[in-house]
Amino acid sequence: MIRKTTLFSSLAIALSMGTMNAQSYEWISSTENNTWQQSKVKLQTNTGHTPLLEINGSENGTVFKAWGTCFNELGWDALNMLPRKQQEIVLQQLFAPGGDLKFTMGRFSMNANDYARDWYSCDEVSGDFQLKHFNINRDKTTLIPFIKAAQQYNPDMTFWMSPWSPPSWMKINHYYSVRSDRNQNQMPPLSDVALYEDSKEKNTQVFPQQLAVNDYFIQDPRYLQTYANYFCKFIDAYKEQGIPISMIMFQNESWSYTNYPGCAWTAEGIIRFNTEYLAPTLKKQHPEVKLYLGTINTNRYEVIDQVLSDPRMPETIEGVGLQWEGGQILSKLRAKYPQYKYVQTESECGWGSFDWKAAEHTFGLMNHYLGNGCEEYTFWNAILYDGGFSGWGWKQNALIHVDSKTGSATYTPEYYAVKHYSHYVTPGSKVLAYKDRGDRMPVMIVMTPQKKQVVIAGNFDEEAKELTVKLGTRYLNVTLFSEYFHRKVEKQSCRKESSIIEFRLFAAVYRNVSSLSIPLKSILFLRFSYYHRFFTLYPFRVKPTSNRFKRAIRILSSI
């Protein structure tokens, strides 16, 4: 059984720039027990509000190319916990052109990542510089069947990859992780000395607060060239399986000093490996494969600037991939280095809550990265089971959550947040205008290849808000309520459509907690889902005599 938690709905409006006469629109709202309730609304010729955004048809925005997700071993395990028919439904909804999310791109790891069952690489034979023992035998039992299952629903999918860790024998600590953790790995604690040595440099305002002083990949020419060859053998092996890799990045999150598979690199090491080894080898053996710098997960602008300012970099890479803290420096990098293409490489995964707050966060991320010029957007795990535990013991979110005991799947709130973008913003769409999530009301206007306009808006506050956008000579005036979502679909003879999508956290209810009085924590809210009918309490404070508190109690009592 597959359950869909339908606490989302969307707005869809059809509008052709050249057709400004009166038009009728269908308004659809959804709650748990009343999905897709229909009414009508019209665009207005005037408004009493200042438009948050406006377009006139002359905009030339960034062309968006692809939505995608990562293929991981634990995702494959989760999928196989479902009956076969339900597996097919999930795959169709994720990857088919007519499905919900319409993913056209896949990412996977070379060697194990943190959502592998455990550590492995394609060649753990120490000193195998000729790579005679290289193989993808394990991938043939997990990742490759997962990818092929997706390809059945979209044979034209594209793929890119990056490693989390090189083979352990290529690293200075001879271990798959960067740091020791007695609960999660068996790396000798004494080896941690290599990370910082005697460095006292520390900045609490950035990530990481302290930089590694050593490259964890052995900076010896023989090792570096072998690793470049390793990338190419991996591309060859997957091509033989019918999985063409069109883009690679040298390392996942060089600045996460992990207790799971990872590898720390310095700026100097990044420049050396990419310019002197990986790029030349790739151009010789696989000129059809693009090399991007990534994945960048640091907001230390000066570090990335040092790498990109190397005079050899323009002939080395075609673009830049960012995730997590890297997204904070996206606009600054694009301003200085406009010659590169920019992609988002991994949506933030949370801590296994599978809740509305996670969905709201992801909705804001999509607004940020697309609004700031990213051509592609990759989600992390599409599907996980039983809390989303990794092979190293922590929990993360996924778009679909499987209960291994019942063999059932729940489409999480985050799934619907993603659908509101990916179902309408198809490859080839142009992002014409956007407003960020700074005031908890992100808005974006997109033009699809079919000349359909898509306006995506979110209201993350507990209060209803008025949204006005100017589309050509007319105005869309709507109220974004805090309790439910809407969708508008224009009815007109030419049958042209576009979409306005509103994403909302369903409700926020205040309650008094007298133990805390810090101004920053002045609000306590209860997030509740109609599906589960439960409340999650957050320890903030609001006076029980306030109007907000009284209003919240009225809302709560009415449910």
Side-chain angles (χ1 to χ4, degrees), residues 391-407:
W392 279 262
W394 58 82
K395 297 189 294 182
Q396 294 181 2
N397 297 323
L399 305 182
I400 300 171
H401 186 215
V402 173
D403 185 328
S404 64
K405 294 181 180 179
T406 63

Side-chain angles (χ1 to χ4, degrees), residues 14-16 19 23-24 490-497:
L15 175 66
S16 299
T19 306
Q23 299 173 18
S24 176
E490 180 186 14
K491 293 182 177 179
Q492 58 176 349
S493 58
C494 62
R495 301 181 64 83
K496 292 186 177 179
E497 292 185 6

Side-chain angles (χ1 to χ4, degrees), residues 19 74 84 93 116 125 160 266 271 279 333 364 412 496 541:
T19 306
L74 295 186
R84 180 60 188 171
Q93 295 287 36
V125 179
W160 70 276
T266 67
I271 294 169
L333 289 175
T412 70
K496 292 186 177 179
R541 180 182 172 211

Side-chain angles (χ1 to χ4, degrees), residues 28-100:
I28 305 173
S29 63
S30 292
T31 60
E32 180 190 14
N33 298 316
N34 295 286
T35 58
W36 307 111
Q37 300 300 300
Q38 301 181 9
S39 59
K40 293 182 179 180
V41 68
K42 292 183 178 180
L43 288 184
Q44 303 298 317
T45 56
N46 53 60
T47 180
H49 303 280
T50 301
L52 289 177
L53 292 175
E54 58 182 278
I55 60 171
N56 57 28
S58 65
E59 295 81 8
N60 187 22
T62 300
V63 177
F64 184 76
K65 295 182 178 178
W67 301 98
T69 187
C70 297
F71 292 89
N72 296 324
E73 287 191 335
L74 295 186
W76 177 240
D77 290 344
L79 184 66
N80 281 286
M81 292 174 182
L82 299 174
R84 180 60 188 171
K85 185 176 181 179
Q86 295 175 12
Q87 292 180 36
E88 293 174 355
I89 293 173
V90 166
L91 292 167
Q92 189 273 338
Q93 295 287 36
L94 292 174
F95 301 106
D100 279 354

Side-chain angles (χ1 to χ4, degrees), residues 69-72 105-113 120 122 134 136 139 143 147 158-166 227-239 243-253 273-274 278 282 286 289-295 321 323 343 345-346 376 378 380:
T69 187
C70 297
F71 292 89
N72 296 324
M105 175 179 64
R107 177 190 180 186
F108 47 89
S109 174
M110 182 174 72
N111 309 327
N113 62 22
Y120 74 97
C122 299
F134 179 95
I136 58 168
D139 290 6
L143 296 186
I147 295 168
T158 60
F159 300 95
W160 70 276
M161 69 83 170
S162 69
W164 266 241
S165 173
Y227 197 34
N229 294 338
Y230 189 104
F231 273 81
C232 291
K233 286 186 73 70
F234 189 86
I235 295 169
D236 286 333
Y238 265 76
K239 186 175 182 180
I243 303 171
I245 295 171
S246 60
M247 179 177 70
I248 65 171
M249 300 189 195
F250 85 101
Q251 173 66 45
N252 180 74
E253 297 188 351
F273 178 59
N274 281 278
L278 184 55
L282 193 64
H286 285 286
V289 177
K290 298 171 290 187
L291 176 60
Y292 275 45
L293 179 67
T295 62
Q323 60 195 55
V343 297
T345 48
E346 181 187 301
E376 299 174 359
T378 303
W380 183 220

Side-chain angles (χ1 to χ4, degrees), residues 341-352:
K341 299 176 181 178
Y342 289 82
V343 297
Q344 182 274 1
T345 48
E346 181 187 301
S347 199
E348 297 172 18
C349 55
W351 300 100

